[in-house]
Amino acid sequence: MENNLIYFDNNSTTPCDPRVVDTMLPWFYQNPGNAASRSHAFGWKAEEAVDYARGQVADLISVESKEIIFTSGATEANNLAIKGVFEMYARKGNHIITLTTEHKAVLDACDKVEKLGGDVTYLSVDREGLVDLKALEDAITDKTVLVSIMWANNETGVIQPMKEIGEICARKGVLFFSDATQAVGKIPVDPKATGVHLMAFTAHKMYGPKGVGALFVNRKKPRVKVVAQMDGGGHERGMRSGTLNVTGIVGFGKAAEIAKEEMEADAKRLVVLRDKLERAFEERLEEVYVNGSRTSRMPHVTNISFKHVEGEGLMMTFNENIAVSSGSACTSSSLEPSYVLIALGLGDDLAHSSIRFSLGRFTKEEEIDRAIDLVANGVTHMRDLSPIWEMYKEGVDLDSVQWQEH
Amino acid sequence: MAYSEKLLDHFKNPKNVGTLDKSKKSVGTGLVGAPECGDVMRLQIKVSEEGVIEDAKFKTFGCGSAIASSSLATEWLKGKNLDEASTIDNMDIVEELALPPVKIHCSVLAEDAIKMAIKDYREKNGQ
């Protein structure tokens, strides 16, 4: 990437792999066809390219080509799955179960379902960020049509016990949908072997382009259907109308092919770098907390709270050199600290102090070493400025202080 | 979000960071905000016998705007008498640092801290 800026925000989006860009280029100008044009060679060629890419994407997650519905991204795929199942299975029931730590695309789609007369149960997670399987099983009723649980969390990288959830859903006869945006292309994801019937994911989290994603919809045993949420020309087997983003889909396919080849090696390398980063902070600084499970976790992510330092302020000490994100309220449009971290049982103060480091395929060890120094110095600087750090050091019980909340 | 040069300068080179002895009669302390809200500001003034603020110190837990607002406040306080100091308005801070709308509360916090420090000093000295 250009300049010296270290990019540790790969959970927000990944850079498009140059090999993906090269594959996409001919599909802007040389091959301009609409994949739905049946009457000329431009259209046939585009359709062929889409079919090939569909195969590459399907192959990455070990499903059939016909089970891939291309969308504009994971947000649309999440919406299509949740609202589409709710509408399709209205005669069976109106109940959906999900987690409080899901992505907003899932939570807001569930919110819409509630407005349309549905019932949604939001299960809490434990300190590690993991679902309580017993609570899930108990929450399923004869009205439940869908369980929606993300594969890996975007903020913490925590991976849910997918196989166990799949078994519960199979036993109870309910559909299992997963937002696997953060997992696909980075760890092995096999929905069929896991009992997942629908799954959303996107290209731009796996070194592909922005603006293209997919919904996997299981075709056999059980045959799953969703009601289209976008009406039009009946593309994508009637489930998602709209001219296919041929260029993007070609890139998505290439990204999937590369991921299949390289994700194991990437993960092996990144887990070492991530652990090095984490360990360095724990050794050099006091009051450092890693948020969420450290065992059931994505290899490239760590979410750390540096206590008594506010996240946005801390980021400002190094954001000319490192790009990360924070669960601090100051970085969110809602002015509330991260609801995901709060759901893990962190106090608001620790949520305000959190920084997410998400590494990627292009992260170099030398960047980790530089980041360790820059961040550790930033934390020390901010603690020197922090009255609550001073009070903590003096042994003041911060819980007993009468704060002037505003 | 792009911040103004002045804000960035106060953030990178904060003025008057430190702690005054709060047990002294000549020192007034204002502590506002809460860790749960993501900002805590402590502002202290040292007042001469003539009633002039001869020193001001701060420590702030918060975002860049909160730190810059408190640094600026301490600069403005020095050399003022208590009545003059009481007139510092949060909107003056907003204007000086070009704070974006979502950060206006940082300036309010600084104004509250100033008022609380003055009040603390006055109470200590029976004024």
Side-chain angles (χ1 to χ4, degrees), chain A residues 10-13 103 150-155 157 179-187 189 200-202 205 298 300-301 356 358:
Chain A
N10 285 278
N11 275 19
S12 294
T13 189
H103 190 273
M150 69 201 318
W151 208 293
N153 186 269
N154 47 310
E155 291 193 34
D179 169 10
T181 305
Q182 295 289 348
V184 173
K186 298 192 182 114
I187 57 170
V189 167
F201 54 110
T202 192
K205 308 278 194 201
M298 294 295 288
H300 64 287
V301 190
R356 178 187 69 187
S358 46

Side-chain angles (χ1 to χ4, degrees), chain B residues 34-109:
Chain B
E36 291 72 32
C37 303
D39 32 35
V40 175
M41 205 177 273
R42 190 192 63 203
L43 202 145
Q44 295 181 297
I45 50 172
K46 184 167 180 257
V47 184
S48 72
E49 286 180 6
E50 293 75 37
V52 174
I53 297 172
E54 53 182 25
D55 200 6
K57 295 278 183 207
F58 86 91
K59 277 201 178 184
T60 290
F61 160 83
C63 62
S65 302
I67 286 165
S69 296
S70 28
S71 169
L72 176 66
T74 55
E75 283 284 273
W76 279 355
L77 283 170
K78 285 204 266 185
K80 285 195 166 64
N81 68 37
L82 294 181
D83 288 338
E84 287 165 348
S86 307
T87 65
I88 294 175
D89 186 81
N90 81 289
M91 289 313 288
D92 300 337
I93 296 172
V94 171
E95 205 170 303
E96 177 72 12
L97 298 176
L99 291 182
V102 294
K103 297 292 184 183
I104 288 177
H105 73 274
C106 297
S107 69
V108 174
L109 208 59

Side-chain angles (χ1 to χ4, degrees), chain A residues 31-68:
Chain A
N31 307 309
N34 185 328
S37 297
R38 295 281 157 80
S39 53
H40 52 67
F42 293 98
W44 303 331
K45 199 162 180 191
E47 190 187 20
E48 209 174 285
V50 167
D51 285 347
Y52 186 72
R54 200 186 298 277
Q56 290 170 309
V57 171
D59 204 29
L60 174 64
I61 57 169
S62 311
V63 302
E64 286 171 41
S65 287
K66 282 183 177 167
E67 295 175 308
I68 297 292

Side-chain angles (χ1 to χ4, degrees), chain A residues 29-327:
Chain A
Y29 182 76
Q30 282 106 306
N31 307 309
N34 185 328
S37 297
R38 295 281 157 80
S39 53
H40 52 67
F42 293 98
W44 303 331
K45 199 162 180 191
E47 190 187 20
E48 209 174 285
V50 167
D51 285 347
Y52 186 72
R54 200 186 298 277
Q56 290 170 309
V57 171
D59 204 29
L60 174 64
I61 57 169
S62 311
V63 302
E64 286 171 41
S65 287
K66 282 183 177 167
E67 295 175 308
I68 297 292
I69 308 295
F70 285 120
T71 66
S72 63
T75 290
E76 189 193 337
N78 279 318
N79 272 270
L80 177 56
I82 291 166
K83 295 175 191 169
V85 164
F86 176 72
E87 219 178 307
M88 179 60 74
Y89 296 87
R91 287 169 71 181
K92 188 197 171 217
N94 68 341
H95 181 225
I96 292 176
I97 300 169
T98 190
L99 299 182
T100 53
T101 50
E102 293 286 312
H103 190 273
K104 279 286 177 197
V106 166
L107 293 177
D108 288 355
C110 285
D111 193 51
K112 188 58 166 284
V113 160
E114 283 186 298
K115 287 198 177 88
L116 294 171
D119 262 335
V120 181
T121 300
Y122 299 90
L123 295 174
S124 53
V125 295
D126 64 12
R127 188 87 203 175
E128 304 259 281
L130 297 166
V131 63
D132 178 341
L133 293 169
K134 175 80 171 55
L136 169 64
E137 185 151 5
D138 290 347
I140 298 175
T141 70
D142 56 354
K143 291 277 175 221
T144 306
V145 289
L146 186 68
V147 168
S148 169
I149 292 181
M150 69 201 318
W151 208 293
N153 186 269
N154 47 310
E155 291 193 34
T156 57
V158 168
I159 301 170
Q160 296 296 340
M162 296 301 289
K163 206 151 189 176
E164 289 81 350
I165 299 167
E167 280 163 13
I168 291 172
C169 292
R171 193 167 353 109
K172 295 276 189 173
V174 298
L175 293 177
F176 181 17
F177 161 65
S178 182
D179 169 10
T181 305
Q182 295 289 348
V184 173
K186 298 192 182 114
I187 57 170
V189 167
D190 183 340
K192 285 181 186 281
T194 316
V196 169
H197 306 110
L198 303 106
M199 188 176 85
F201 54 110
T202 192
H204 80 98
K205 308 278 194 201
M206 45 185 274
Y207 312 99
K210 293 164 188 62
V212 57
L215 180 68
F216 151 71
V217 182
N218 204 62
R219 255 168 70 88
K220 278 180 198 155
K221 294 185 197 168
R223 180 176 176 83
V224 179
K225 288 169 104 178
V226 294
V227 174
Q229 301 299 306
M230 186 78 76
D231 299 313
H235 308 74
E236 298 297 271
R237 295 168 46 234
M239 286 194 248
R240 199 276 186 178
S241 289
T243 297
L244 289 175
N245 172 3
V246 177
T247 316
I249 289 168
V250 165
F252 193 3
K254 184 66 183 177
E257 182 194 295
I258 297 171
K260 191 174 179 189
E261 276 296 302
E262 300 184 1
M263 71 180 165
E264 195 184 339
D266 281 345
K268 261 188 188 155
R269 192 177 69 85
L270 291 175
V271 79
V272 172
L273 297 182
R274 189 270 313 272
D275 289 351
K276 181 178 185 181
L277 186 74
E278 235 169 37
R279 219 171 306 126
F281 293 142
E282 288 177 318
E283 281 167 15
R284 284 170 62 162
L285 300 164
E286 299 169 69
E287 295 291 299
V288 169
Y289 299 88
V290 173
N291 299 317
S293 172
R294 293 179 83 153
T295 47
S296 185
R297 183 165 57 145
M298 294 295 288
H300 64 287
V301 190
T302 178
N303 188 306
I304 305 183
S305 288
F306 301 97
K307 206 174 180 186
H308 308 311
V309 168
E310 196 276 330
E312 194 223 9
L314 175 59
M315 284 197 295
M316 275 180 71
T317 66
F318 56 68
N319 66 6
E320 284 168 5
N321 298 290
I322 316 171
V324 294
S325 56
S326 167

